[in-house]
Amino acid sequence: GELASQLHAIPILPTISEAMHDVYLLGQELGNHPNVISKVGDSNSAQAIYLSPISAGNYDLGAYDFLGETVDYFYDSFGIVPQSAKVGLNMFSLFEPIWADPNLCEPEEYPLICEYRLNKPSIAVVMFGANDVKVLNRAEYEAQMRLLIEQSLERGVIPLLLTFGSDPNLNPNHVQLLRFNLIVAGLADEYQVPLLNLWAALTDLPRNGVGEDLLHLTSTGAGMNLTGNESFYGLSLHHLLVLQALDIIRREVIVANEIIE
């Protein structure tokens, strides 16, 4: 209960620090594309039904059509097949060259850096936890997440960190996953990077928005439909909140710096 209370006290949508303006400008100097995002995570981030339907035009924003400008801005990059999001990936394997595609990545290059080199994003949408909780302890998880954040910032990529949902009635690792989420929140605060508290939003959904496999968010299948599904399905709510977070970053960082220039 105490862990859940701490997580519920954290806002769902991110606030943007002044430090992220400097990170974004560094990325522009390094040749990053302002309208490109990268997905970083396990199968929840790698699956074809996560954000990719947008680039195929298979989406309906419903009452959230105010997000249309942000959808249009990042439109093409939603469909990029990421090197940094794979089935079975965890925080350790993200930095293991054996997990990199030898046809696209350089020798000894691991998935995260391969992704950043190939696609040069300005923002990375990061969600780990469901796989990590089975094989990593808290110290290992924190060290690897810290490494991800630092390597992103060094390359001018703003890491948008997400907490992950868990069903307290079914998941035997529920308490550990709450601790992992608090680690993510603590690191976001330490490095002043944006945090999307997906866990808190998912607690209003049936089974906290997580499927019976305890790994994947519940979904309606192909397509992104925000005409009510976001009130029942984890992936639909995930889509909505990621788009809202990207909208905040686009307006407060990318557009703001274009005006200054």
Side-chain angles (χ1 to χ4, degrees):
E2 181 180 347
L3 297 175
S5 295
Q6 291 178 44
L7 278 170
H8 272 300
I10 299 169
I12 292 174
L13 290 174
T15 55
I16 307 301
S17 68
E18 285 298 320
M20 293 305 98
H21 291 267
D22 295 333
V23 173
Y24 173 74
L25 293 175
L26 170 62
Q28 296 310 288
E29 293 176 3
L30 296 175
N32 291 351
H33 304 301
N35 62 338
V36 171
I37 69 162
S38 284
K39 306 166 193 173
V40 183
D42 54 34
S43 54
N44 279 287
S45 301
Q47 59 185 337
I49 57 175
Y50 174 56
L51 293 177
S52 296
I54 296 176
S55 291
N58 187 10
Y59 69 94
D60 187 344
L61 294 176
Y64 306 100
D65 56 0
F66 62 88
L67 296 171
E69 193 170 348
T70 292
V71 167
D72 292 342
Y73 188 78
F74 295 108
Y75 189 86
D76 290 330
S77 72
F78 288 127
I80 293 174
V81 178
Q83 298 302 307
S84 51
K86 299 177 183 290
V87 175
L89 198 71
N90 62 38
M91 291 297 298
F92 269 134
S93 46
L94 181 66
F95 298 96
E96 289 290 337
I98 194 172
W99 280 79
D101 185 342
N103 296 315
L104 296 172
C105 303
E106 297 176 349
E108 301 305 313
E109 196 172 45
Y110 42 85
L112 181 70
I113 301 309
C114 179
E115 170 69 17
Y116 288 172
R117 177 181 61 81
L118 289 176
N119 295 315
K120 297 188 177 301
S122 60
I123 304 168
V125 183
V126 180
M127 187 172 72
F128 283 98
N131 287 330
D132 302 80
V133 74
K134 303 172 186 176
V135 293
L136 276 67
N137 59 38
R138 277 176 280 172
E140 292 169 334
Y141 185 75
E142 179 176 346
Q144 295 302 106
M145 184 62 74
R146 189 180 295 277
L147 183 61
L148 184 158
I149 294 170
E150 291 179 353
Q151 294 201 359
S152 299
L153 298 178
E154 289 170 2
R155 289 161 175 80
V157 179
I158 297 174
L160 170 61
L161 306 183
L162 276 70
T163 56
F164 185 73
S166 174
D167 186 338
N169 298 314
L170 295 177
N171 194 338
N173 298 312
H174 177 71
V175 173
Q176 183 75 325
L177 192 49
L178 295 183
R179 294 190 176 109
F180 277 23
N181 280 338
L182 286 171
I183 287 171
V184 172
L187 291 174
D189 183 63
E190 178 182 342
Y191 286 94
Q192 301 179 59
V193 301
L195 174 73
L196 171 53
N197 191 4
L198 180 62
W199 175 88
L202 290 173
T203 57
D204 288 332
L205 303 189
R207 288 207 314 265
N208 287 23
V210 181
E212 294 181 1
D213 64 358
L214 307 180
L215 173 63
H216 297 97
L217 298 177
T218 53
S219 74
T220 59
M224 188 191 76
N225 187 311
L226 301 180
T227 58
N229 289 334
E230 67 279 4
S231 298
F232 298 96
Y233 297 97
L235 181 59
S236 297
L237 183 57
H238 185 191
H239 277 149
L240 172 60
L241 294 176
V242 166
L243 291 179
Q244 288 181 303
L246 291 175
D247 183 66
I248 292 170
I249 297 172
R250 182 188 65 82
R251 289 185 289 102
E252 296 189 16
V253 178
I254 299 174
V255 174
N257 280 287
E258 288 174 352
I259 293 173
I260 293 173
E261 291 175 3

